[in-house]
Amino acid sequence: MRLPRGRLRKSRVVTDPREPLAEVLDREVTGYAVFEPQDSLLLDADGRGVVTFADGVPVVAYHTGTGRGGPPALADLAVPGPYHVSVFELDAADLASVHEVEELRVPPGMPAERLAGDPALADSTRRGAPPQRSTAQGSDGAGDHSAVEAFLEDEEKIAAIREQAREEARQRATEWGLSDT
């Protein structure tokens, strides 16, 4: 997915993706946000998430590392923070061709639910969506299974999460003076 460079509105590290999602909705930004998870920041891992917005409401999601779009891209991006988030404003006409790609589209409230785990923000986002988006795509529940299924099918991601959990458990055991013997 190629987007023209927009006008940088904000760039910062956040622990919770809720903050930029809520701000974009409140300010009715048309443009896109680039979410770069801590793995990319600290481990030079490949992959950023891009979410586009029309008047503050998410329209499209894409993950640069996996090349997947739509709900699967949100599943790829749903990792523990912090995130470096850059928000860019762009004219709606510059986003029109990307917003027409059905495989990249996401239900309005899904980014708030999947990235921020915030049902209240998801409800606010759905209320802010134009009527044709809510009726054309149905409720966000219809896309929930595809995002979860996409995540569960990604064996590499699940293995990485398991390894990270094991390493954290080892570190805690060492801190608490426990040993394997």
Side-chain angles (χ1 to χ4, degrees), residues 51-81:
V51 178
T52 68
F53 303 91
D55 298 321
V57 177
V59 179
V60 160
Y62 182 78
H63 192 275
T64 63
T66 63
R68 299 193 312 172
L74 294 176
D76 295 336
L77 187 57
V79 296

PDB file of all heavy atoms in Angstrom, residues 51-81:
ATOM      1  N   VAL A  51      -3.044   2.731   9.660  1.00  0.00           N
ATOM      2  CA  VAL A  51      -4.499   2.816   9.717  1.00  0.00           C
ATOM      3  C   VAL A  51      -4.881   4.154   9.109  1.00  0.00           C
ATOM      4  O   VAL A  51      -4.345   5.190   9.513  1.00  0.00           O
ATOM      5  CB  VAL A  51      -5.026   2.716  11.170  1.00  0.00           C
ATOM      6  CG1 VAL A  51      -6.541   2.847  11.203  1.00  0.00           C
ATOM      7  CG2 VAL A  51      -4.596   1.406  11.824  1.00  0.00           C
ATOM      8  N   THR A  52      -5.777   4.130   8.124  1.00  0.00           N
ATOM      9  CA  THR A  52      -6.237   5.379   7.522  1.00  0.00           C
ATOM     10  C   THR A  52      -7.560   5.789   8.165  1.00  0.00           C
ATOM     11  O   THR A  52      -8.290   4.951   8.710  1.00  0.00           O
ATOM     12  CB  THR A  52      -6.428   5.250   6.001  1.00  0.00           C
ATOM     13  OG1 THR A  52      -7.522   4.383   5.734  1.00  0.00           O
ATOM     14  CG2 THR A  52      -5.157   4.769   5.321  1.00  0.00           C
ATOM     15  N   PHE A  53      -7.850   7.084   8.063  1.00  0.00           N
ATOM     16  CA  PHE A  53      -9.046   7.651   8.685  1.00  0.00           C
ATOM     17  C   PHE A  53      -9.738   8.595   7.717  1.00  0.00           C
ATOM     18  O   PHE A  53      -9.083   9.298   6.950  1.00  0.00           O
ATOM     19  CB  PHE A  53      -8.671   8.456   9.938  1.00  0.00           C
ATOM     20  CG  PHE A  53      -7.930   7.663  10.954  1.00  0.00           C
ATOM     21  CD1 PHE A  53      -6.539   7.606  10.936  1.00  0.00           C
ATOM     22  CD2 PHE A  53      -8.602   6.959  11.941  1.00  0.00           C
ATOM     23  CE1 PHE A  53      -5.840   6.865  11.872  1.00  0.00           C
ATOM     24  CE2 PHE A  53      -7.910   6.212  12.882  1.00  0.00           C
ATOM     25  CZ  PHE A  53      -6.529   6.165  12.844  1.00  0.00           C
ATOM     26  N   ALA A  54     -11.053   8.626   7.787  1.00  0.00           N
ATOM     27  CA  ALA A  54     -11.863   9.622   7.100  1.00  0.00           C
ATOM     28  C   ALA A  54     -12.683  10.322   8.169  1.00  0.00           C
ATOM     29  O   ALA A  54     -13.496   9.678   8.847  1.00  0.00           O
ATOM     30  CB  ALA A  54     -12.766   8.979   6.062  1.00  0.00           C
ATOM     31  N   ASP A  55     -12.422  11.577   8.397  1.00  0.00           N
ATOM     32  CA  ASP A  55     -13.091  12.357   9.448  1.00  0.00           C
ATOM     33  C   ASP A  55     -12.996  11.673  10.807  1.00  0.00           C
ATOM     34  O   ASP A  55     -13.962  11.636  11.567  1.00  0.00           O
ATOM     35  CB  ASP A  55     -14.554  12.618   9.073  1.00  0.00           C
ATOM     36  CG  ASP A  55     -14.680  13.434   7.799  1.00  0.00           C
ATOM     37  OD1 ASP A  55     -13.871  14.365   7.603  1.00  0.00           O
ATOM     38  OD2 ASP A  55     -15.577  13.129   6.985  1.00  0.00           O
ATOM     39  N   GLY A  56     -11.829  11.106  11.096  1.00  0.00           N
ATOM     40  CA  GLY A  56     -11.571  10.499  12.400  1.00  0.00           C
ATOM     41  C   GLY A  56     -11.968   9.043  12.526  1.00  0.00           C
ATOM     42  O   GLY A  56     -11.661   8.396  13.524  1.00  0.00           O
ATOM     43  N   VAL A  57     -12.638   8.487  11.537  1.00  0.00           N
ATOM     44  CA  VAL A  57     -13.133   7.110  11.597  1.00  0.00           C
ATOM     45  C   VAL A  57     -12.205   6.209  10.776  1.00  0.00           C
ATOM     46  O   VAL A  57     -11.960   6.476   9.598  1.00  0.00           O
ATOM     47  CB  VAL A  57     -14.580   7.031  11.053  1.00  0.00           C
ATOM     48  CG1 VAL A  57     -15.074   5.589  11.047  1.00  0.00           C
ATOM     49  CG2 VAL A  57     -15.494   7.911  11.894  1.00  0.00           C
ATOM     50  N   PRO A  58     -11.688   5.122  11.387  1.00  0.00           N
ATOM     51  CA  PRO A  58     -10.811   4.207  10.639  1.00  0.00           C
ATOM     52  C   PRO A  58     -11.517   3.602   9.431  1.00  0.00           C
ATOM     53  O   PRO A  58     -12.695   3.253   9.493  1.00  0.00           O
ATOM     54  CB  PRO A  58     -10.479   3.118  11.660  1.00  0.00           C
ATOM     55  CG  PRO A  58     -10.682   3.772  12.986  1.00  0.00           C
ATOM     56  CD  PRO A  58     -11.825   4.729  12.790  1.00  0.00           C
ATOM     57  N   VAL A  59     -10.739   3.476   8.332  1.00  0.00           N
ATOM     58  CA  VAL A  59     -11.290   2.909   7.106  1.00  0.00           C
ATOM     59  C   VAL A  59     -10.481   1.690   6.677  1.00  0.00           C
ATOM     60  O   VAL A  59     -11.033   0.655   6.351  1.00  0.00           O
ATOM     61  CB  VAL A  59     -11.300   3.956   5.961  1.00  0.00           C
ATOM     62  CG1 VAL A  59     -11.850   3.346   4.669  1.00  0.00           C
ATOM     63  CG2 VAL A  59     -12.111   5.182   6.366  1.00  0.00           C
ATOM     64  N   VAL A  60      -9.148   1.810   6.677  1.00  0.00           N
ATOM     65  CA  VAL A  60      -8.266   0.790   6.128  1.00  0.00           C
ATOM     66  C   VAL A  60      -7.157   0.489   7.133  1.00  0.00           C
ATOM     67  O   VAL A  60      -6.708   1.380   7.859  1.00  0.00           O
ATOM     68  CB  VAL A  60      -7.656   1.308   4.802  1.00  0.00           C
ATOM     69  CG1 VAL A  60      -6.410   0.566   4.408  1.00  0.00           C
ATOM     70  CG2 VAL A  60      -8.670   1.261   3.679  1.00  0.00           C
ATOM     71  N   ALA A  61      -6.711  -0.765   7.168  1.00  0.00           N
ATOM     72  CA  ALA A  61      -5.541  -1.147   7.973  1.00  0.00           C
ATOM     73  C   ALA A  61      -4.630  -2.006   7.103  1.00  0.00           C
ATOM     74  O   ALA A  61      -5.102  -2.814   6.292  1.00  0.00           O
ATOM     75  CB  ALA A  61      -5.964  -1.926   9.217  1.00  0.00           C
ATOM     76  N   TYR A  62      -3.317  -1.805   7.302  1.00  0.00           N
ATOM     77  CA  TYR A  62      -2.328  -2.554   6.534  1.00  0.00           C
ATOM     78  C   TYR A  62      -1.092  -2.751   7.402  1.00  0.00           C
ATOM     79  O   TYR A  62      -0.693  -1.849   8.134  1.00  0.00           O
ATOM     80  CB  TYR A  62      -1.954  -1.782   5.261  1.00  0.00           C
ATOM     81  CG  TYR A  62      -0.974  -2.512   4.390  1.00  0.00           C
ATOM     82  CD1 TYR A  62      -1.390  -3.558   3.575  1.00  0.00           C
ATOM     83  CD2 TYR A  62       0.366  -2.165   4.383  1.00  0.00           C
ATOM     84  CE1 TYR A  62      -0.491  -4.245   2.774  1.00  0.00           C
ATOM     85  CE2 TYR A  62       1.273  -2.841   3.569  1.00  0.00           C
ATOM     86  CZ  TYR A  62       0.843  -3.885   2.782  1.00  0.00           C
ATOM     87  OH  TYR A  62       1.729  -4.560   2.001  1.00  0.00           O
ATOM     88  N   HIS A  63      -0.492  -3.945   7.347  1.00  0.00           N
ATOM     89  CA  HIS A  63       0.733  -4.229   8.096  1.00  0.00           C
ATOM     90  C   HIS A  63       1.873  -4.403   7.105  1.00  0.00           C
ATOM     91  O   HIS A  63       1.817  -5.275   6.229  1.00  0.00           O
ATOM     92  CB  HIS A  63       0.573  -5.486   8.949  1.00  0.00           C
ATOM     93  CG  HIS A  63       1.665  -5.672   9.934  1.00  0.00           C
ATOM     94  ND1 HIS A  63       2.849  -6.291   9.614  1.00  0.00           N
ATOM     95  CD2 HIS A  63       1.771  -5.280  11.226  1.00  0.00           C
ATOM     96  CE1 HIS A  63       3.637  -6.292  10.676  1.00  0.00           C
ATOM     97  NE2 HIS A  63       3.008  -5.685  11.660  1.00  0.00           N
ATOM     98  N   THR A  64       2.909  -3.569   7.243  1.00  0.00           N
ATOM     99  CA  THR A  64       4.003  -3.589   6.260  1.00  0.00           C
ATOM    100  C   THR A  64       4.869  -4.846   6.373  1.00  0.00           C
ATOM    101  O   THR A  64       5.457  -5.256   5.379  1.00  0.00           O
ATOM    102  CB  THR A  64       4.902  -2.349   6.402  1.00  0.00           C
ATOM    103  OG1 THR A  64       5.521  -2.363   7.692  1.00  0.00           O
ATOM    104  CG2 THR A  64       4.112  -1.075   6.210  1.00  0.00           C
ATOM    105  N   GLY A  65       4.958  -5.433   7.544  1.00  0.00           N
ATOM    106  CA  GLY A  65       5.802  -6.613   7.720  1.00  0.00           C
ATOM    107  C   GLY A  65       5.211  -7.867   7.115  1.00  0.00           C
ATOM    108  O   GLY A  65       5.918  -8.681   6.514  1.00  0.00           O
ATOM    109  N   THR A  66       3.903  -8.038   7.256  1.00  0.00           N
ATOM    110  CA  THR A  66       3.252  -9.247   6.748  1.00  0.00           C
ATOM    111  C   THR A  66       2.601  -9.031   5.391  1.00  0.00           C
ATOM    112  O   THR A  66       2.271  -9.997   4.705  1.00  0.00           O
ATOM    113  CB  THR A  66       2.165  -9.734   7.729  1.00  0.00           C
ATOM    114  OG1 THR A  66       1.143  -8.728   7.822  1.00  0.00           O
ATOM    115  CG2 THR A  66       2.737 -10.054   9.090  1.00  0.00           C
ATOM    116  N   GLY A  67       2.373  -7.775   5.036  1.00  0.00           N
ATOM    117  CA  GLY A  67       1.709  -7.482   3.777  1.00  0.00           C
ATOM    118  C   GLY A  67       0.221  -7.752   3.808  1.00  0.00           C
ATOM    119  O   GLY A  67      -0.436  -7.760   2.776  1.00  0.00           O
ATOM    120  N   ARG A  68      -0.322  -7.967   5.001  1.00  0.00           N
ATOM    121  CA  ARG A  68      -1.750  -8.256   5.103  1.00  0.00           C
ATOM    122  C   ARG A  68      -2.522  -6.973   5.394  1.00  0.00           C
ATOM    123  O   ARG A  68      -2.013  -6.053   6.011  1.00  0.00           O
ATOM    124  CB  ARG A  68      -2.015  -9.283   6.199  1.00  0.00           C
ATOM    125  CG  ARG A  68      -1.317 -10.586   5.903  1.00  0.00           C
ATOM    126  CD  ARG A  68      -1.722 -11.759   6.736  1.00  0.00           C
ATOM    127  NE  ARG A  68      -1.781 -11.569   8.165  1.00  0.00           N
ATOM    128  CZ  ARG A  68      -2.270 -12.480   8.991  1.00  0.00           C
ATOM    129  NH1 ARG A  68      -2.716 -13.625   8.527  1.00  0.00           N
ATOM    130  NH2 ARG A  68      -2.281 -12.255  10.285  1.00  0.00           N
ATOM    131  N   GLY A  69      -3.767  -6.959   4.924  1.00  0.00           N
ATOM    132  CA  GLY A  69      -4.624  -5.807   5.138  1.00  0.00           C
ATOM    133  C   GLY A  69      -5.908  -6.197   5.823  1.00  0.00           C
ATOM    134  O   GLY A  69      -6.209  -7.380   5.996  1.00  0.00           O
ATOM    135  N   GLY A  70      -6.694  -5.199   6.218  1.00  0.00           N
ATOM    136  CA  GLY A  70      -7.976  -5.430   6.864  1.00  0.00           C
ATOM    137  C   GLY A  70      -7.806  -5.968   8.275  1.00  0.00           C
ATOM    138  O   GLY A  70      -6.793  -5.713   8.940  1.00  0.00           O
ATOM    139  N   PRO A  71      -8.787  -6.751   8.757  1.00  0.00           N
ATOM    140  CA  PRO A  71      -8.710  -7.303  10.107  1.00  0.00           C
ATOM    141  C   PRO A  71      -7.432  -8.112  10.386  1.00  0.00           C
ATOM    142  O   PRO A  71      -6.872  -8.006  11.483  1.00  0.00           O
ATOM    143  CB  PRO A  71      -9.967  -8.176  10.218  1.00  0.00           C
ATOM    144  CG  PRO A  71     -10.947  -7.480   9.319  1.00  0.00           C
ATOM    145  CD  PRO A  71     -10.112  -6.993   8.149  1.00  0.00           C
ATOM    146  N   PRO A  72      -6.915  -8.901   9.415  1.00  0.00           N
ATOM    147  CA  PRO A  72      -5.658  -9.603   9.697  1.00  0.00           C
ATOM    148  C   PRO A  72      -4.490  -8.657  10.005  1.00  0.00           C
ATOM    149  O   PRO A  72      -3.618  -8.979  10.809  1.00  0.00           O
ATOM    150  CB  PRO A  72      -5.390 -10.402   8.415  1.00  0.00           C
ATOM    151  CG  PRO A  72      -6.748 -10.639   7.841  1.00  0.00           C
ATOM    152  CD  PRO A  72      -7.502  -9.369   8.137  1.00  0.00           C
ATOM    153  N   ALA A  73      -4.480  -7.479   9.396  1.00  0.00           N
ATOM    154  CA  ALA A  73      -3.421  -6.504   9.689  1.00  0.00           C
ATOM    155  C   ALA A  73      -3.511  -6.034  11.129  1.00  0.00           C
ATOM    156  O   ALA A  73      -2.486  -5.850  11.796  1.00  0.00           O
ATOM    157  CB  ALA A  73      -3.517  -5.311   8.739  1.00  0.00           C
ATOM    158  N   LEU A  74      -4.733  -5.855  11.629  1.00  0.00           N
ATOM    159  CA  LEU A  74      -4.896  -5.448  13.030  1.00  0.00           C
ATOM    160  C   LEU A  74      -4.431  -6.559  13.968  1.00  0.00           C
ATOM    161  O   LEU A  74      -3.837  -6.298  15.006  1.00  0.00           O
ATOM    162  CB  LEU A  74      -6.355  -5.078  13.318  1.00  0.00           C
ATOM    163  CG  LEU A  74      -6.867  -3.839  12.593  1.00  0.00           C
ATOM    164  CD1 LEU A  74      -8.354  -3.635  12.878  1.00  0.00           C
ATOM    165  CD2 LEU A  74      -6.069  -2.602  12.978  1.00  0.00           C
ATOM    166  N   ALA A  75      -4.678  -7.816  13.582  1.00  0.00           N
ATOM    167  CA  ALA A  75      -4.195  -8.942  14.389  1.00  0.00           C
ATOM    168  C   ALA A  75      -2.673  -8.948  14.427  1.00  0.00           C
ATOM    169  O   ALA A  75      -2.065  -9.205  15.467  1.00  0.00           O
ATOM    170  CB  ALA A  75      -4.721 -10.266  13.829  1.00  0.00           C
ATOM    171  N   ASP A  76      -2.033  -8.629  13.303  1.00  0.00           N
ATOM    172  CA  ASP A  76      -0.570  -8.573  13.247  1.00  0.00           C
ATOM    173  C   ASP A  76      -0.023  -7.448  14.114  1.00  0.00           C
ATOM    174  O   ASP A  76       1.071  -7.552  14.663  1.00  0.00           O
ATOM    175  CB  ASP A  76      -0.092  -8.366  11.809  1.00  0.00           C
ATOM    176  CG  ASP A  76      -0.417  -9.535  10.907  1.00  0.00           C
ATOM    177  OD1 ASP A  76      -0.582 -10.665  11.427  1.00  0.00           O
ATOM    178  OD2 ASP A  76      -0.506  -9.324   9.685  1.00  0.00           O
ATOM    179  N   LEU A  77      -0.769  -6.378  14.218  1.00  0.00           N
ATOM    180  CA  LEU A  77      -0.316  -5.201  14.953  1.00  0.00           C
ATOM    181  C   LEU A  77      -0.643  -5.269  16.442  1.00  0.00           C
ATOM    182  O   LEU A  77      -0.045  -4.541  17.240  1.00  0.00           O
ATOM    183  CB  LEU A  77      -0.953  -3.945  14.334  1.00  0.00           C
ATOM    184  CG  LEU A  77      -0.495  -2.611  14.853  1.00  0.00           C
ATOM    185  CD1 LEU A  77       1.017  -2.464  14.699  1.00  0.00           C
ATOM    186  CD2 LEU A  77      -1.208  -1.488  14.132  1.00  0.00           C
ATOM    187  N   ALA A  78      -1.542  -6.136  16.834  1.00  0.00           N
ATOM    188  CA  ALA A  78      -1.991  -6.215  18.229  1.00  0.00           C
ATOM    189  C   ALA A  78      -0.932  -6.905  19.086  1.00  0.00           C
ATOM    190  O   ALA A  78      -1.020  -8.082  19.410  1.00  0.00           O
ATOM    191  CB  ALA A  78      -3.319  -6.951  18.311  1.00  0.00           C
ATOM    192  N   VAL A  79       0.089  -6.154  19.451  1.00  0.00           N
ATOM    193  CA  VAL A  79       1.171  -6.636  20.306  1.00  0.00           C
ATOM    194  C   VAL A  79       1.315  -5.668  21.471  1.00  0.00           C
ATOM    195  O   VAL A  79       0.862  -4.528  21.388  1.00  0.00           O
ATOM    196  CB  VAL A  79       2.509  -6.750  19.525  1.00  0.00           C
ATOM    197  CG1 VAL A  79       2.393  -7.783  18.416  1.00  0.00           C
ATOM    198  CG2 VAL A  79       2.929  -5.418  18.961  1.00  0.00           C
ATOM    199  N   PRO A  80       1.953  -6.089  22.560  1.00  0.00           N
ATOM    200  CA  PRO A  80       2.116  -5.176  23.682  1.00  0.00           C
ATOM    201  C   PRO A  80       2.916  -3.933  23.286  1.00  0.00           C
ATOM    202  O   PRO A  80       3.832  -4.008  22.478  1.00  0.00           O
ATOM    203  CB  PRO A  80       2.896  -5.995  24.712  1.00  0.00           C
ATOM    204  CG  PRO A  80       2.750  -7.415  24.291  1.00  0.00           C
ATOM    205  CD  PRO A  80       2.507  -7.404  22.819  1.00  0.00           C
ATOM    206  N   GLY A  81       2.536  -2.795  23.867  1.00  0.00           N
ATOM    207  CA  GLY A  81       3.220  -1.518  23.598  1.00  0.00           C
ATOM    208  C   GLY A  81       4.541  -1.469  24.319  1.00  0.00           C
ATOM    209  O   GLY A  81       4.962  -2.447  24.903  1.00  0.00           O
TER     210      GLY A  81
END
